Amino acid sequence: MEKKTDDYFTSIKVSTLTKWMIGGGIALLVIGYLIPDEGELWVWKLASSLLEPVGTTLFSAGIVSVVVEISTIKNVVKTALNDILSGDFSLETFSKERLDKLSIRIASKRCGKDVDENYILDSLYILEPKMLESVSGMYYKKHKALYKIKPSSKRGVFVKRVELDYEIINPFELENQVIQRIQLYNITEDMSDEERKKKFKILKFKINNTDLTSEADTYKTVLEIPDKSQTSYHYMVEFKRKLQKCRSHKIKLHFEYEVPITDVTQIYKLKYPSKHLEHEVIIETDRDTKEEWKVQGNAFTAFYLNQDDTDSGFSMEQKSDNILKVNFNNWCVPGTGYVLYYSKNI
């Protein structure tokens, strides 16, 4: 089948054997007809008597073969058309450009409104490639985190202890790694990189059942903050460890660091899609003044979700003034996250 503009032409090819049978049958009939019946030689009479029935047989068999082949082709075409109309056909031979156009046409019909393809291209549908990119990448089967925030007015810091426990799925064997970056500030102007690294303390690091805590410091690097005008911090410590291209890795990463007590906000955003997210934040009583603190927050997603809707799979539970829990029990896309705010409980 070949395409020319918007018309399709189908050519049916008859097998070579069938052609030979029809052609041979006609040739033998013609030859038999041309041989004179009154010939005196017995050879001519024998040839004449044999060629006609053989030719007729070959010609008839050829015609039957054509009919059978056409019938077979008809059934094949009928089955193919049924598959096309029911959507049960292979897409492997379609180019990406053709698939994109087909997808847009389908979207214009599935949206349930009287819209054309141009409307679809000028709508939110333009974000579909980002969604497909996420589908063909890695994702979290679960992502759990526990934040314990300890205020210290005397030292002027929040001591943050973070316990990450997640499982990352890598179905397509992509490059994968554990990576965590923390922005920190200089205690003194002449701090060395080794002193800076120590401000990001790794308390536990496990990949599946292998405990790598003892060598965790070797995976830390000090980096410059790209745009310091956007932050009051001085440098960044990156923790990075490459993973094998296995389908699944379970990671436990517990760490501790300090931020100024004036930095009362915290933002978290998902890097990969996640099937289940459960984060809990606890802010403790000030160890020096015994003042109580509270935590408040808001979560956000790519689409609006009402946490009062039980089918949304989303909830933000204020368990007490100092404990907040965020749950996403359904798929959430990269960029999903929340904003926290700490304040004294006056």
Side-chain angles (χ1 to χ4, degrees):
M1 183 179 292
E2 60 182 63
K3 181 177 183 294
K4 182 179 180 182
T5 64
D6 290 330
D7 299 321
Y8 289 85
F9 301 92
T10 303
S11 59
I12 299 175
K13 295 184 178 180
V14 178
S15 67
T16 302
L17 179 60
T18 300
K19 293 177 181 178
W20 276 103
M21 290 171 67
I22 294 174
I26 293 173
L28 292 177
L29 287 172
V30 170
I31 293 172
Y33 177 78
L34 294 176
I35 295 176
D37 292 336
E38 287 83 13
E40 296 181 358
L41 295 176
W42 66 271
V43 175
W44 293 111
K45 293 181 180 180
L46 179 61
S48 177
S49 62
L50 288 176
L51 290 177
E52 184 175 348
V54 171
T56 301
T57 301
L58 284 176
F59 180 77
S60 300
I63 294 298
V64 171
S65 181
V66 169
V67 172
V68 170
E69 288 187 23
I70 291 176
S71 177
T72 302
I73 292 171
K74 180 181 178 182
N75 288 332
V76 170
V77 171
K78 182 179 179 181
T79 302
L81 287 174
N82 286 334
D83 289 344
I84 290 172
L85 292 174
S86 64
D88 185 18
F89 57 93
S90 175
L91 298 173
E92 279 70 18
T93 57
F94 284 62
S95 68
K96 184 180 182 303
E97 180 184 7
R98 203 69 188 148
L99 287 173
D100 289 343
K101 290 181 178 179
L102 180 61
S103 181
I104 292 167
R105 292 181 63 189
I106 293 172
S108 68
K109 301 302 179 185
R110 290 187 60 204
C111 71
K113 305 292 182 182
D114 185 17
V115 298
D116 58 21
E117 296 168 29
N118 291 329
Y119 179 88
I120 293 294
L121 288 171
D122 194 32
S123 70
L124 184 65
Y125 185 82
I126 199 70
L127 299 178
E128 187 209 27
K130 281 291 183 184
M131 184 68 73
L132 292 177
E133 183 180 323
S134 296
V135 170
S136 58
M138 293 178 283
Y139 68 90
Y140 297 116
K141 185 176 182 180
K142 66 171 184 176
H143 196 285
K144 294 185 177 182
L146 174 62
Y147 293 87
K148 294 180 179 179
I149 316 300
K150 301 178 181 180
S152 174
S153 297
K154 184 177 180 179
R155 295 181 55 221
V157 299
F158 286 123
V159 180
K160 294 188 175 184
R161 177 168 179 160
V162 185
E163 298 178 6
L164 296 180
D165 180 6
Y166 63 87
E167 182 177 358
I168 190 164
I169 308 299
N170 186 10
F172 304 104
E173 299 185 347
L174 304 175
E175 292 293 331
N176 194 7
Q177 58 192 5
V178 177
I179 185 166
Q180 185 72 40
R181 291 174 178 168
I182 301 294
Q183 292 188 6
L184 299 167
Y185 62 97
N186 290 326
I187 303 299
T188 61
E189 292 294 331
D190 57 349
M191 283 183 71
S192 66
D193 281 354
E194 290 305 313
E195 290 174 319
R196 288 170 172 158
K197 289 178 185 179
K198 290 178 181 178
K199 300 302 292 181
F200 180 22
K201 301 174 184 176
I202 305 297
L203 306 175
K204 180 186 286 188
F205 178 45
K206 290 183 69 174
I207 300 176
N208 297 325
N209 295 319
T210 305
D211 194 330
L212 301 172
T213 308
S214 61
E215 58 188 69
D217 285 342
T218 63
Y219 306 129
K220 292 192 290 189
T221 306
V222 175
L223 303 174
E224 290 291 326
I225 295 175
D227 188 358
K228 290 186 178 180
S229 65
Q230 301 296 319
T231 179
S232 59
Y233 292 96
H234 303 133
Y235 66 95
M236 181 190 303
V237 176
E238 179 185 74
F239 176 85
K240 183 168 66 175
R241 207 274 191 179
K242 189 174 182 179
L243 297 173
Q244 295 177 324
K245 294 182 180 180
C246 301
R247 188 181 187 279
S248 171
H249 281 98
K250 294 180 179 179
I251 307 297
K252 287 185 183 293
L253 179 61
H254 299 181
F255 55 91
E256 188 177 275
Y257 65 102
E258 297 177 357
V259 300
I261 204 167
T262 54
D263 188 356
V264 293
T265 59
Q266 180 176 319
I267 300 175
Y268 176 82
K269 292 181 181 179
L270 268 174
K271 182 179 181 181
Y272 299 115
S274 181
K275 292 186 74 174
H276 175 73
L277 180 143
E278 181 182 310
H279 286 198
E280 187 170 10
V281 184
I282 302 171
I283 187 164
E284 301 179 358
T285 301
D286 192 306
R287 64 177 68 181
D288 304 313
T289 64
K290 307 307 178 185
E291 292 176 303
E292 293 184 349
W293 285 70
K294 63 182 178 180
V295 57
Q296 297 170 295
N298 279 299
F300 49 84
T301 67
F303 296 96
Y304 172 75
L305 293 176
N306 186 346
Q307 63 175 321
D308 295 329
D309 183 0
T310 55
D311 293 332
S312 69
F314 160 61
S315 67
M316 194 163 192
E317 182 183 359
Q318 189 80 50
K319 301 180 74 174
S320 64
D321 284 347
N322 69 317
I323 301 176
L324 189 66
K325 191 171 184 180
V326 181
N327 271 300
F328 288 97
N329 290 318
N330 206 339
W331 278 107
C332 40
V333 300
T336 296
Y338 51 83
V339 179
L340 304 177
Y341 176 73
Y342 308 115
S343 61
K344 290 183 181 180
N345 197 355
I346 300 173

